[in-house]
Amino acid sequence: EQQFDTHQDYMVSAFAALRSSSLGGEGVPERQRAFSSTKSMSQRREIICRERASGTVSASVRRGRGGLRYAIEEGEVEW
């Protein structure tokens, strides 16, 4: 089972980026830099939609009691 829903570049922590940079690596990945520099929320949503690997939300999150599906139906979550 895949436990994440996006490219690994988005999961690099600030500490890992600093360590990478200090050892001659890329540091903060280009994907993170591009996302961080995007100020428009609609453009950020487009990036998220484009980058997300679909089908990776577990059934318990999506369907479980009080899960995402129900929160959306009840207007508790907006996109």
Side-chain angles (χ1 to χ4, degrees):
E1 177 181 336
Q2 188 174 349
Q3 295 294 317
F4 50 88
D5 67 353
T6 191
H7 193 279
Q8 64 188 10
D9 282 359
Y10 289 106
M11 296 186 282
V12 174
S13 68
F15 175 77
L18 182 62
R19 184 179 61 211
S20 167
S21 180
S22 71
L23 296 173
E26 181 181 11
V28 177
E30 175 57 34
R31 280 181 167 92
Q32 280 191 29
R33 290 193 304 268
F35 187 83
S36 294
S37 68
T38 302
K39 302 303 178 205
S40 165
M41 295 310 284
S42 64
Q43 287 179 332
R44 283 184 168 216
R45 286 199 257 329
E46 288 175 17
I47 293 170
I48 292 167
C49 286
R50 182 178 65 242
E51 294 285 341
R52 185 173 179 279
S54 63
T56 57
V57 175
S58 69
S60 62
V61 169
R62 190 171 60 82
R63 292 188 306 246
R65 175 176 277 166
L68 183 58
R69 178 179 135 208
Y70 299 103
I72 291 169
E73 287 172 358
E74 296 182 16
E76 296 173 5
V77 175
E78 290 182 33
W79 180 253

